[in-house]
Short mmCIF file of all heavy atoms in Angstrom, two decimals:
data_model
loop_
_atom_site.label_atom_id
_atom_site.label_comp_id
_atom_site.label_asym_id
_atom_site.label_seq_id
_atom_site.Cartn_x
_atom_site.Cartn_y
_atom_site.Cartn_z
N LEU A 180 7.67 -11.44 -25.00
CA LEU A 180 7.99 -12.16 -23.76
C LEU A 180 6.75 -12.69 -23.03
O LEU A 180 6.86 -13.60 -22.22
CB LEU A 180 8.77 -11.26 -22.80
CG LEU A 180 10.19 -10.90 -23.25
CD1 LEU A 180 10.81 -9.88 -22.31
CD2 LEU A 180 11.07 -12.14 -23.33
N THR A 181 5.58 -12.12 -23.31
CA THR A 181 4.42 -12.59 -22.56
C THR A 181 3.41 -13.34 -23.43
O THR A 181 2.54 -14.01 -22.89
CB THR A 181 3.68 -11.44 -21.85
OG1 THR A 181 3.23 -10.51 -22.85
CG2 THR A 181 4.58 -10.73 -20.86
N ILE A 184 5.45 -18.52 -27.06
CA ILE A 184 6.07 -19.60 -26.29
C ILE A 184 7.58 -19.36 -26.16
O ILE A 184 8.15 -19.47 -25.07
CB ILE A 184 5.81 -20.96 -26.97
CG1 ILE A 184 4.38 -21.40 -26.68
CG2 ILE A 184 6.77 -22.02 -26.43
CD1 ILE A 184 4.14 -21.78 -25.24
N SER A 185 8.23 -18.98 -27.27
CA SER A 185 9.68 -18.83 -27.19
C SER A 185 10.04 -17.65 -26.29
O SER A 185 11.03 -17.68 -25.57
CB SER A 185 10.28 -18.72 -28.59
OG SER A 185 10.72 -17.42 -28.85
N LYS A 187 8.15 -16.62 -23.68
CA LYS A 187 7.91 -17.08 -22.30
C LYS A 187 9.08 -17.95 -21.83
O LYS A 187 9.49 -17.88 -20.67
CB LYS A 187 6.62 -17.89 -22.22
CG LYS A 187 5.35 -17.04 -22.28
CD LYS A 187 4.12 -17.94 -22.20
CE LYS A 187 2.86 -17.16 -22.51
NZ LYS A 187 1.66 -18.02 -22.46
N ALA A 188 9.58 -18.78 -22.75
CA ALA A 188 10.70 -19.64 -22.39
C ALA A 188 11.92 -18.78 -22.04
O ALA A 188 12.64 -19.06 -21.07
CB ALA A 188 11.04 -20.60 -23.52
N LEU A 190 11.88 -15.74 -20.85
CA LEU A 190 11.60 -15.14 -19.54
C LEU A 190 11.84 -16.16 -18.43
O LEU A 190 12.43 -15.86 -17.39
CB LEU A 190 10.13 -14.70 -19.53
CG LEU A 190 9.73 -13.52 -18.66
CD1 LEU A 190 10.58 -12.32 -18.96
CD2 LEU A 190 8.25 -13.21 -18.88
N ALA A 191 11.40 -17.40 -18.68
CA ALA A 191 11.58 -18.47 -17.70
C ALA A 191 13.07 -18.73 -17.46
O ALA A 191 13.51 -18.89 -16.32
CB ALA A 191 10.89 -19.75 -18.18
N VAL A 192 13.86 -18.74 -18.53
CA VAL A 192 15.30 -18.94 -18.40
C VAL A 192 15.90 -17.81 -17.54
O VAL A 192 16.74 -18.05 -16.68
CB VAL A 192 15.98 -18.98 -19.78
CG1 VAL A 192 17.49 -18.86 -19.65
CG2 VAL A 192 15.61 -20.28 -20.49
N GLN A 194 14.41 -16.17 -15.20
CA GLN A 194 13.98 -16.27 -13.81
C GLN A 194 14.58 -17.48 -13.11
O GLN A 194 14.79 -17.47 -11.90
CB GLN A 194 12.45 -16.34 -13.73
CG GLN A 194 11.83 -15.00 -14.08
CD GLN A 194 10.32 -15.04 -14.04
OE1 GLN A 194 9.70 -15.97 -13.54
NE2 GLN A 194 9.70 -14.00 -14.57
N ASN A 195 14.78 -18.56 -13.84
CA ASN A 195 15.29 -19.78 -13.21
C ASN A 195 15.83 -20.74 -14.27
O ASN A 195 15.11 -21.61 -14.77
CB ASN A 195 14.16 -20.45 -12.41
CG ASN A 195 14.65 -21.65 -11.63
OD1 ASN A 195 15.75 -22.15 -11.86
ND2 ASN A 195 13.84 -22.12 -10.71
N LYS A 197 17.76 -23.31 -14.10
CA LYS A 197 17.69 -24.73 -13.76
C LYS A 197 16.26 -25.24 -13.97
O LYS A 197 16.05 -26.29 -14.60
CB LYS A 197 18.11 -24.92 -12.30
CG LYS A 197 18.19 -26.37 -11.89
CD LYS A 197 18.68 -26.52 -10.46
CE LYS A 197 18.65 -27.97 -10.02
NZ LYS A 197 18.82 -28.09 -8.55
N GLY A 198 15.29 -24.47 -13.49
CA GLY A 198 13.89 -24.84 -13.69
C GLY A 198 13.56 -24.95 -15.17
O GLY A 198 12.82 -25.83 -15.59
N ALA A 199 14.12 -24.04 -15.97
CA ALA A 199 13.84 -24.05 -17.41
C ALA A 199 14.38 -25.31 -18.06
O ALA A 199 13.71 -25.95 -18.87
CB ALA A 199 14.43 -22.80 -18.06
N SER A 200 15.61 -25.72 -17.68
CA SER A 200 16.16 -26.91 -18.31
C SER A 200 15.37 -28.15 -17.91
O SER A 200 15.22 -29.09 -18.71
CB SER A 200 17.65 -27.07 -17.96
OG SER A 200 17.79 -27.31 -16.58
N ILE A 201 14.81 -28.14 -16.70
CA ILE A 201 14.03 -29.28 -16.23
C ILE A 201 12.77 -29.49 -17.07
O ILE A 201 12.30 -30.61 -17.23
CB ILE A 201 13.68 -29.09 -14.73
CG1 ILE A 201 14.91 -29.36 -13.88
CG2 ILE A 201 12.53 -29.98 -14.31
CD1 ILE A 201 14.74 -28.93 -12.45
N VAL A 202 12.22 -28.41 -17.62
CA VAL A 202 11.03 -28.58 -18.47
C VAL A 202 11.40 -28.69 -19.95
O VAL A 202 10.53 -28.64 -20.81
CB VAL A 202 9.98 -27.46 -18.26
CG1 VAL A 202 9.45 -27.49 -16.84
CG2 VAL A 202 10.56 -26.09 -18.60
N GLY A 203 12.69 -28.83 -20.25
CA GLY A 203 13.07 -29.12 -21.64
C GLY A 203 13.52 -27.91 -22.45
O GLY A 203 13.70 -28.02 -23.66
N ILE A 204 13.69 -26.77 -21.79
CA ILE A 204 14.14 -25.59 -22.52
C ILE A 204 15.67 -25.61 -22.62
O ILE A 204 16.35 -25.84 -21.62
CB ILE A 204 13.67 -24.29 -21.82
CG1 ILE A 204 12.14 -24.25 -21.76
CG2 ILE A 204 14.23 -23.06 -22.52
CD1 ILE A 204 11.59 -23.18 -20.84
N ASP A 205 16.18 -25.38 -23.83
CA ASP A 205 17.63 -25.36 -24.04
C ASP A 205 18.16 -23.99 -23.60
O ASP A 205 18.04 -23.00 -24.32
CB ASP A 205 17.91 -25.62 -25.52
CG ASP A 205 19.40 -25.80 -25.80
OD1 ASP A 205 20.21 -25.36 -24.96
OD2 ASP A 205 19.73 -26.39 -26.83
N VAL A 206 18.73 -23.94 -22.40
CA VAL A 206 19.13 -22.67 -21.80
C VAL A 206 20.23 -21.99 -22.63
O VAL A 206 20.16 -20.79 -22.91
CB VAL A 206 19.61 -22.88 -20.35
CG1 VAL A 206 20.18 -21.60 -19.76
CG2 VAL A 206 18.45 -23.38 -19.49
N ILE B 50 21.74 -33.13 -14.25
CA ILE B 50 22.07 -31.89 -13.52
C ILE B 50 23.50 -32.01 -12.97
O ILE B 50 24.24 -31.04 -12.93
CB ILE B 50 21.04 -31.62 -12.40
CG1 ILE B 50 19.67 -31.35 -13.03
CG2 ILE B 50 21.48 -30.45 -11.52
CD1 ILE B 50 18.51 -31.39 -12.05
N THR B 70 20.33 -31.72 -19.36
CA THR B 70 19.04 -31.82 -18.68
C THR B 70 17.85 -31.64 -19.62
O THR B 70 16.88 -32.38 -19.55
CB THR B 70 18.99 -30.76 -17.57
OG1 THR B 70 20.13 -30.94 -16.73
CG2 THR B 70 17.74 -30.89 -16.74
N HIS B 71 17.95 -30.65 -20.54
CA HIS B 71 16.76 -30.40 -21.37
C HIS B 71 16.48 -31.57 -22.31
O HIS B 71 15.33 -31.84 -22.66
CB HIS B 71 16.88 -29.07 -22.13
CG HIS B 71 17.94 -29.04 -23.18
ND1 HIS B 71 19.25 -28.70 -22.90
CD2 HIS B 71 17.89 -29.33 -24.49
CE1 HIS B 71 19.94 -28.76 -24.03
NE2 HIS B 71 19.16 -29.14 -24.99
N ALA B 74 14.69 -34.21 -20.25
CA ALA B 74 13.29 -33.81 -20.06
C ALA B 74 12.49 -34.08 -21.34
O ALA B 74 11.38 -34.61 -21.28
CB ALA B 74 13.22 -32.33 -19.70
N ARG B 75 13.07 -33.76 -22.48
CA ARG B 75 12.35 -33.96 -23.75
C ARG B 75 12.14 -35.44 -24.04
O ARG B 75 11.18 -35.82 -24.72
CB ARG B 75 13.11 -33.31 -24.91
CG ARG B 75 13.07 -31.80 -24.84
CD ARG B 75 13.86 -31.16 -25.96
NE ARG B 75 13.99 -29.72 -25.73
CZ ARG B 75 14.57 -28.88 -26.59
NH1 ARG B 75 15.07 -29.33 -27.71
NH2 ARG B 75 14.65 -27.60 -26.30
N LEU B 80 10.50 -33.93 -13.69
CA LEU B 80 11.00 -33.85 -12.32
C LEU B 80 10.24 -32.79 -11.52
O LEU B 80 10.01 -31.69 -12.01
CB LEU B 80 12.50 -33.49 -12.36
CG LEU B 80 13.16 -33.14 -11.02
CD1 LEU B 80 13.17 -34.32 -10.07
CD2 LEU B 80 14.58 -32.62 -11.24
N PRO B 82 11.35 -30.96 -8.48
CA PRO B 82 12.56 -30.85 -7.66
C PRO B 82 12.23 -30.53 -6.21
O PRO B 82 11.19 -29.97 -5.91
CB PRO B 82 13.33 -29.68 -8.30
CG PRO B 82 12.61 -29.33 -9.54
CD PRO B 82 11.21 -29.83 -9.41
N GLU B 86 11.89 -25.08 -8.04
CA GLU B 86 12.45 -24.51 -9.28
C GLU B 86 11.39 -24.02 -10.26
O GLU B 86 11.43 -24.29 -11.45
CB GLU B 86 13.35 -25.54 -9.99
CG GLU B 86 14.39 -26.21 -9.12
CD GLU B 86 15.51 -25.28 -8.66
OE1 GLU B 86 15.53 -24.11 -9.07
OE2 GLU B 86 16.36 -25.74 -7.86
N LEU B 87 10.43 -23.24 -9.74
CA LEU B 87 9.39 -22.68 -10.61
C LEU B 87 9.85 -21.34 -11.18
O LEU B 87 10.97 -20.90 -10.92
CB LEU B 87 8.10 -22.49 -9.80
CG LEU B 87 7.47 -23.79 -9.30
CD1 LEU B 87 6.42 -23.51 -8.24
CD2 LEU B 87 6.86 -24.57 -10.46
N PHE B 88 8.97 -20.70 -11.95
CA PHE B 88 9.26 -19.38 -12.50
C PHE B 88 8.44 -18.36 -11.72
O PHE B 88 7.27 -18.13 -12.04
CB PHE B 88 8.95 -19.36 -14.00
CG PHE B 88 9.53 -20.54 -14.72
CD1 PHE B 88 8.74 -21.43 -15.40
CD2 PHE B 88 10.91 -20.79 -14.66
CE1 PHE B 88 9.27 -22.54 -16.04
CE2 PHE B 88 11.46 -21.90 -15.28
CZ PHE B 88 10.64 -22.78 -15.96
N PRO B 89 9.03 -17.76 -10.69
CA PRO B 89 8.25 -17.01 -9.71
C PRO B 89 7.52 -15.79 -10.27
O PRO B 89 6.45 -15.45 -9.80
CB PRO B 89 9.29 -16.59 -8.66
CG PRO B 89 10.61 -16.69 -9.36
CD PRO B 89 10.45 -17.79 -10.37
N GLY B 90 8.11 -15.18 -11.29
CA GLY B 90 7.50 -13.97 -11.83
C GLY B 90 6.46 -14.25 -12.90
O GLY B 90 6.00 -13.34 -13.59
N MET B 91 6.11 -15.52 -13.09
CA MET B 91 5.13 -15.86 -14.13
C MET B 91 3.91 -16.50 -13.48
O MET B 91 3.96 -17.01 -12.37
CB MET B 91 5.77 -16.82 -15.15
CG MET B 91 7.00 -16.22 -15.79
SD MET B 91 7.88 -17.33 -16.88
CE MET B 91 6.91 -17.13 -18.36
N ASP B 95 1.21 -19.81 -17.09
CA ASP B 95 2.45 -19.87 -17.87
C ASP B 95 3.37 -20.97 -17.36
O ASP B 95 4.01 -21.67 -18.16
CB ASP B 95 3.19 -18.52 -17.81
CG ASP B 95 2.51 -17.46 -18.66
OD1 ASP B 95 1.70 -17.84 -19.52
OD2 ASP B 95 2.78 -16.27 -18.46
N GLU B 98 1.98 -24.16 -18.73
CA GLU B 98 2.16 -24.24 -20.19
C GLU B 98 3.60 -24.63 -20.52
O GLU B 98 3.85 -25.49 -21.38
CB GLU B 98 1.81 -22.90 -20.82
CG GLU B 98 1.86 -22.94 -22.35
CD GLU B 98 1.58 -21.59 -22.98
OE1 GLU B 98 1.65 -20.57 -22.26
OE2 GLU B 98 1.32 -21.56 -24.20
N LEU B 99 4.56 -24.01 -19.81
CA LEU B 99 5.97 -24.30 -20.09
C LEU B 99 6.33 -25.73 -19.70
O LEU B 99 7.32 -26.28 -20.19
CB LEU B 99 6.87 -23.30 -19.37
CG LEU B 99 6.90 -21.90 -20.01
CD1 LEU B 99 7.65 -20.92 -19.13
CD2 LEU B 99 7.52 -21.95 -21.40
N GLY B 100 5.53 -26.34 -18.82
CA GLY B 100 5.78 -27.74 -18.49
C GLY B 100 5.63 -28.65 -19.71
O GLY B 100 6.28 -29.69 -19.79
N ALA B 102 5.38 -27.31 -23.18
CA ALA B 102 5.67 -26.70 -24.48
C ALA B 102 6.89 -27.27 -25.19
O ALA B 102 6.95 -27.27 -26.41
CB ALA B 102 5.82 -25.19 -24.31
N TYR B 103 7.86 -27.75 -24.43
CA TYR B 103 9.10 -28.21 -25.08
C TYR B 103 9.28 -29.73 -25.03
O TYR B 103 10.35 -30.24 -25.32
CB TYR B 103 10.31 -27.50 -24.46
CG TYR B 103 10.40 -26.07 -24.95
CD1 TYR B 103 9.68 -25.06 -24.37
CD2 TYR B 103 11.17 -25.77 -26.08
CE1 TYR B 103 9.72 -23.76 -24.85
CE2 TYR B 103 11.21 -24.49 -26.58
CZ TYR B 103 10.49 -23.49 -25.97
OH TYR B 103 10.52 -22.22 -26.47
N VAL B 104 8.23 -30.44 -24.63
CA VAL B 104 8.33 -31.89 -24.53
C VAL B 104 7.44 -32.52 -25.60
O VAL B 104 6.22 -32.34 -25.57
CB VAL B 104 7.89 -32.37 -23.13
CG1 VAL B 104 8.02 -33.88 -23.02
CG2 VAL B 104 8.72 -31.69 -22.05
N ARG B 148 3.12 -28.86 -13.11
CA ARG B 148 4.00 -28.55 -14.25
C ARG B 148 4.64 -29.82 -14.79
O ARG B 148 4.76 -30.01 -16.00
CB ARG B 148 5.08 -27.56 -13.80
CG ARG B 148 5.98 -27.09 -14.93
CD ARG B 148 7.06 -26.14 -14.44
NE ARG B 148 8.07 -26.83 -13.66
CZ ARG B 148 9.19 -26.24 -13.21
NH1 ARG B 148 9.40 -24.96 -13.44
NH2 ARG B 148 10.07 -26.93 -12.51
#
Side-chain angles (χ1 to χ4, degrees):
Chain A
L180 292 173
T181 60
I184 283 290
S185 108
K187 285 180 190 179
L190 209 54
V192 167
Q194 289 179 13
N195 185 347
K197 185 177 176 193
S200 65
I201 285 169
V202 297
I204 299 168
D205 188 339
V206 173
Chain B
I50 295 167
T70 305
H71 68 272
R75 289 178 190 184
L80 170 65
E86 310 291 357
L87 295 166
F88 312 120
M91 302 175 82
D95 286 343
E98 185 183 16
L99 285 172
Y103 285 84
V104 181
R148 184 182 71 174

